[in-house]
């Protein structure tokens, strides 16, 4: 087994070394991981992958990058075009946020995604996770990148529990920082590798411990894999919810080439109160633009 790099704690290396070695053999061949993909490709993928699986993201991502290969290309379009191209990925406010980030990149950074973490964090629609992910995956920097997959790996391997808390805690952030490799390159590789491990092996359900490079070091497995004892985990209900109604209304507007009359939208859902609430929410979120005479369209400005 390779020895830890100078200045890297042995405890951390006991996790880093096997996970990174596993990643070198088993990482998926994804377009945003291509060495020539660039920071914009990484940023687009990070926005799309939030709460959405890779197989649904891939076709939309490839169409998006073909149409808007640089931030300035997207910034030159109306925000409604970003919503239209987002298709059925879900959580369409992400499209508006990505468009807003593209405009800011074009205006503040000459069209290039900034490399500094603070500058990334200052972009509209960019939170702590996305800033750390872009800085790490695109620029090889040393940051704690904590998505759901990484949090689950650390919860099981280090903390000995089946699932992390529903919301990221200060203790989780502290642990992730403590476990970061000292070298930037190794830290960036660890971020990608631990995320992939959670996505492919240490999954939320039906985890595959027999294939896990941390099986012999996993605190949860060593404890007999005790079941989750914390607060109930949030479900992802969809049918009959306002979110489903919003999706139906947006689908009509995405397909339309001209503003859509209220009567056309009314046909999409029988419950008038819920339909009105969903439409009002779309307008409030900036995803739909109301026009005179009861017409609606995707946002133009």
């Amino acid at each position: 087994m390779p020895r830890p790099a100078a200045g890297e704690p042995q405890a951390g290396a006991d996790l880093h070394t096997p996970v990174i070695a596993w990643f070198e053999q088993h990482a998926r061949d994804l377009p945003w991981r291509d060495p020539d993909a660039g920071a914009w490709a990484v940023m687009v993928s990070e926005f799309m992958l939030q709460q959405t699986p890779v197989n649904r993201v891939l076709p939309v991502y490839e169409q998006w990058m073909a149409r808007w290969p640089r931030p300035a290309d997207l910034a030159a379009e109306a925000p409604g075009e970003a919503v239209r191209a987002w298709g059925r990925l879900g959580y369409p406010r992400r499209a508006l946020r990505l468009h807003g980030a593209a405009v800011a990149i074009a205006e503040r950074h000459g069209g290039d995604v900034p490399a500094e973490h603070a500058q990334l964090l200052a972009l509209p629609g960019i939170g702590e996770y996305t800033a750390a992910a872009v800085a790490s995956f695109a620029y090889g920097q040393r940051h704690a990148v904590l998505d759901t997959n990484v949090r689950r790996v650390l919860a099981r391997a280090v903390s000995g529990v089946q699932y992390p808390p529903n919301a990221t805690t200060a203790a989780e952030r502290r642990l992730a920082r403590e476990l970061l490799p000292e070298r930037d390159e190794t830290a960036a590789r660890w971020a990608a590798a631990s995320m992939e491990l959670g996505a492919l092996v240490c999954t939320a359900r039906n985890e595959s411990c027999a294939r896990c490079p941390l099986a012999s070091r996993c605190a949860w497995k060593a404890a007999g894999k005790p079941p989750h004892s914390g607060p109930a985990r949030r479900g992802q209900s969809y049918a009959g919810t306002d979110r489903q109604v919003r999706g139906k209304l947006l689908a009509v507007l995405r397909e339309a080439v001209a503003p859509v009359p209220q009567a056309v939208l009314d046909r999409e859902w029988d419950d008038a109160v819920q339909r009105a609430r969903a439409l009002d929410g779309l307008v409030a979120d900036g995803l739909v633009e109301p026009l005179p005479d009861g017409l609606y369209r995707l946002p133009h400005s």
Side-chain angles (χ1 to χ4, degrees), residues 213-233:
L214 295 180
S216 64
R217 303 165 173 83
C218 178
W220 183 55
K221 187 173 184 293
K225 298 170 69 171
H228 180 64
S229 60
R233 302 175 71 229

Side-chain angles (χ1 to χ4, degrees), residues 283 288-292 294-297:
V283 172
V288 171
E289 184 177 337
L291 300 173
L295 299 174
Y296 295 87
R297 67 181 181 188

Side-chain angles (χ1 to χ4, degrees), residues 66-156:
R67 181 174 178 180
W68 299 309
R70 289 180 53 82
D73 301 318
L74 176 59
E77 297 260 22
E81 288 306 301
V83 176
R84 194 188 310 278
W86 200 256
R88 295 185 177 273
L89 283 184
Y91 304 99
R93 277 179 288 182
R94 293 179 294 169
L96 288 183
R97 293 178 183 136
L98 184 51
H99 182 275
V103 170
I105 290 168
E107 292 176 348
R108 304 176 195 169
H109 302 288
D112 294 323
V113 176
E116 293 295 327
H117 181 266
Q119 292 179 326
L120 288 165
L121 201 54
L123 294 173
I126 302 285
E128 176 60 37
Y129 165 77
T130 305
V134 173
S136 178
F137 301 150
Y139 294 114
Q141 297 175 15
R142 182 179 183 269
H143 294 282
V145 183
L146 269 177
D147 81 333
T148 302
N149 290 314
V150 176
R151 294 176 61 224
R152 188 169 55 252
V153 168
L154 297 184
R156 292 174 179 174

